[in-house]
Amino acid sequence: MMGQQSGSQDRLFYSFDLESFVPPNHLLRGIDQCLDLGGLRQRLASHYSHTGRPSIAPELMIRMLIVGYCYGIRSERRLCEEVHLNLAYRWFCRLGLEDAIPNYSTFSKNRHGRFRQNGTFRWIFDEVVRGCMAAGLVRGEGFAIDASIVAADASGQQGIPKGEPLQWGDPTSRTHAVREYLEALDSELPGTPAPRKISISDPQSRWTGAEGGVPYYAYSTNYLIDTAHGVILDVEATPAYRTAEVESTKLMIDRVESRFNLVPDRLIADTAYGTAPMLAWMVEEKGIEPHIPLWDRSERHDGSFSRSDFQWDEAANEYRCPAGKALRCDWRQFKNPRTRITKADTILYKSRQSDCAACPMKISCCQNTPFRKIARSIHEAARDVARQVAKTQEYQQSRRERKKVEMLFAHLKRILKLDRLRLRGLSGATDEFTLAALVQNLHRMTKLLWSSHRIDAPKNYQMA
């Protein structure tokens, strides 16, 4: 017999327990167990007035933002609607059925005001990392680092080509992204390459075609992870060009050391990080073993001798060619010794022209030049360390472990939906990347520490 729904909704009183309507295996239950915001109110106390209307609890806004980044809801207006309707979101945010939801404009005011001034997102991220360390999810033996490009909230049609004069208009009408860009110009490092095109709406983003498709404005998110369980130890936002990404390595490793007292035995990265200055910094200053492919352009592919065919003699400070002749940086003594260091931080070693002219191997060595030259980096000792490490079994294992960073980036873009930024400026990118990394660490803790409760992840959710 076919039944019929009553449709009557005229009851005056309901017995309702919000706790019982959230499944015991819900992802937010596990995150709630891993998240501790106990010190947040005290940290932000100086930013709130003792008079005026009651303010929104900072814990509520942080929990709502975590829900948004966890489920790919990055529109603040939509986030308020979803928290209003979803019982699990209300439960996680400590809201009852009759509690009001904050207005979406509250997030913008606090993100650009109290939270940014106080470094709130970074503080919460560090607290979650400490929680991972306390739970034994961080070993500190091996770190891996990489960067991923994320599109900026800037149109490719609105840009000024390199060399054209920039007119930013009235200072009082400039956006915060433009003001931030102009303030950063004075502190920009010398030698920083000029961008090919500057965005009018977000000038700190970089015009990049690194992915081989249509160029666009973007930032890079840089992750430093512990290889044991893929916990993100640090995150840094940079403009999307390789030099800034590589230099952020030093900042993150130093910051992890100062905040968590962790220095890895080995660092895993791709070839872009295998430059001579970076290897020297790791080996000589930090004592870190570089599990990084060497950035080396000395190999020749035309059949002539490469630099590896020449024997280095440390005691004599010279190379020996396959014919046994010497290549030196100084063939005569000078009254005032010279370093012979070039602008590229190399020293040129040259053979005698007379030796090469009579050599039967000249065609295979320097057919088009009168003598052979070899440029040796001043950091060659550190490069030799990287060459030796690359021959070990541990290095092969590190190559496999590096994929954990790539999987985190895939999760960031495909599951958390952070493939394009909503906030502008480097500070906006920093806030978004820090929140996303914070949520990924909470996912990691939930999966590893609460699997016995059969916590279900969102649909299509997958982690390394």
Side-chain angles (χ1 to χ4, degrees):
M1 177 178 179
M2 182 180 294
Q4 184 174 354
Q5 186 176 354
S6 171
S8 174
Q9 297 182 352
D10 54 357
R11 291 178 58 186
L12 295 179
F13 301 100
Y14 290 86
S15 175
F16 190 88
D17 180 15
L18 185 58
E19 173 81 20
S20 64
F21 276 80
V22 181
N25 58 354
H26 198 282
L27 175 69
L28 290 179
R29 282 194 179 273
I31 291 180
D32 185 63
Q33 295 289 336
C34 300
L35 182 64
D36 182 11
L37 299 176
L40 179 62
R41 183 171 293 271
Q42 180 180 357
R43 181 177 177 82
L44 290 168
S46 61
H47 294 269
Y48 285 84
S49 174
H50 297 287
T51 60
R53 295 184 301 170
S55 61
I56 305 298
E59 298 92 341
L60 170 58
M61 286 185 285
I62 293 298
R63 285 180 174 272
M64 289 181 66
L65 285 171
I66 288 175
V67 168
Y69 277 82
C70 185
Y71 288 93
I73 310 170
R74 293 171 48 242
S75 165
E76 284 133 7
R77 188 190 297 264
R78 183 180 161 224
L79 176 60
C80 292
E81 295 173 355
E82 292 291 336
V83 173
H84 176 72
L85 296 172
N86 192 297
L87 296 180
Y89 296 171
R90 277 186 172 270
W91 173 85
F92 180 77
C93 295
R94 305 291 194 265
L95 292 171
L97 285 179
E98 298 179 351
D99 290 333
I101 307 298
N103 188 275
Y104 64 89
S105 62
T106 304
F107 290 99
S108 298
K109 293 178 181 178
N110 282 277
R111 269 186 166 183
H112 300 154
R114 298 183 181 97
F115 293 165
R116 185 170 293 175
Q117 295 166 8
N118 192 262
T120 300
F121 298 143
R122 170 62 64 172
W123 176 80
I124 299 173
F125 174 83
D126 289 344
E127 289 300 303
V128 172
V129 172
R130 291 188 178 93
C132 292
M133 294 173 62
L137 303 183
V138 177
R139 294 180 185 172
E141 181 271 333
F143 289 177
I145 191 165
D146 206 352
S148 183
I149 297 175
V150 179
D153 183 26
S155 171
Q157 305 297 323
Q158 298 179 350
I160 302 174
K162 179 181 178 181
E164 289 191 11
L166 302 176
Q167 301 294 335
W168 297 110
D170 184 5
T172 59
S173 62
R174 293 170 183 165
T175 64
H176 87 274
V178 172
R179 293 195 302 270
E180 187 176 291
Y181 166 74
L182 295 175
E183 292 169 1
L185 286 178
D186 295 334
S187 59
E188 196 172 64
L189 295 175
T192 302
R196 290 171 289 176
K197 191 176 178 182
I198 297 178
S199 169
I200 297 175
S201 55
D202 191 354
Q204 283 187 298
S205 62
R206 275 293 175 123
W207 183 252
T208 178
E211 296 180 348
V214 178
Y216 57 95
Y217 293 107
Y219 288 94
S220 291
T221 177
N222 300 270
Y223 278 5
L224 180 68
I225 74 164
D226 184 86
T227 57
H229 294 286
V231 173
I232 304 170
L233 298 177
D234 206 347
V235 56
E236 182 69 15
T238 61
Y241 67 97
R242 182 59 69 180
T243 304
E245 295 169 0
V246 173
E247 287 300 313
S248 69
T249 305
K250 300 178 181 179
L251 173 63
M252 290 191 286
I253 288 181
D254 286 340
R255 190 157 54 196
V256 167
E257 180 181 4
S258 63
R259 295 185 178 182
F260 309 120
N261 196 28
L262 290 176
V263 179
D265 296 329
R266 57 193 173 101
L267 180 67
I268 307 167
D270 60 26
T271 309
Y273 298 82
T275 60
M278 179 58 66
L279 293 174
W281 179 81
M282 282 189 281
V283 173
E284 298 168 8
E285 294 188 31
K286 307 302 291 187
I288 300 173
E289 192 173 84
H291 287 231
I292 303 173
L294 194 64
W295 180 277
D296 192 358
R297 295 182 176 180
S298 64
E299 292 297 317
R300 296 187 176 185
H301 304 284
D302 58 358
S304 60
F305 294 141
S306 299
R307 187 173 61 185
S308 57
D309 297 316
F310 291 73
Q311 186 69 34
W312 170 249
D313 188 338
E314 182 71 31
N317 188 28
E318 65 181 22
Y319 280 98
R320 285 283 171 175
C321 72
K325 303 298 182 180
L327 287 79
R328 298 175 182 172
C329 58
D330 281 322
W331 281 102
R332 61 189 179 92
Q333 296 294 326
F334 290 89
K335 184 176 181 180
N336 297 320
R338 303 180 183 183
T339 62
R340 297 292 185 180
I341 299 176
T342 66
K343 293 181 179 180
D345 286 338
T346 61
I347 300 175
L348 290 178
Y349 288 80
K350 305 175 183 179
S351 62
R352 289 184 183 272
Q353 186 171 345
S354 58
D355 290 338
C356 292
C359 181
M361 299 183 180
K362 188 178 188 302
I363 295 178
S364 300
C365 185
C366 51
Q367 181 178 4
N368 300 320
T369 56
F371 55 87
R372 181 62 186 261
K373 294 187 296 185
I374 293 179
R376 179 180 175 85
S377 171
I378 61 174
H379 306 301
E380 198 65 31
R383 287 161 56 86
D384 288 338
V385 172
R387 290 188 183 98
Q388 294 301 318
V389 170
K391 300 175 182 178
T392 63
Q393 282 295 116
E394 291 78 7
Y395 177 84
Q396 301 303 322
Q397 176 64 27
S398 295
R399 293 292 88 204
R400 293 187 287 270
E401 291 177 343
R402 196 182 73 84
K403 296 178 182 179
K404 294 183 178 182
V405 193
E406 300 290 348
M407 296 179 73
L408 283 167
F409 290 144
H411 174 260
L412 175 73
K413 295 180 179 181
R414 297 185 60 185
I415 307 302
L416 301 190
K417 308 298 183 184
L418 189 56
D419 53 359
R420 183 182 176 91
L421 296 172
R422 291 191 66 249
L423 302 183
R424 291 175 174 173
L426 189 60
S427 60
T430 299
D431 289 348
E432 291 220 61
F433 293 155
T434 304
L435 272 170
L438 158 69
V439 165
Q440 287 183 294
N441 278 345
L442 288 172
H443 273 297
R444 178 67 66 188
M445 292 182 72
T446 299
K447 178 182 178 182
L448 296 177
L449 301 180
W450 295 91
S451 58
S452 60
H453 295 273
R454 296 186 301 111
I455 295 174
D456 289 339
K459 187 178 180 181
N460 296 329
Y461 170 72
Q462 225 175 16
M463 285 285 284

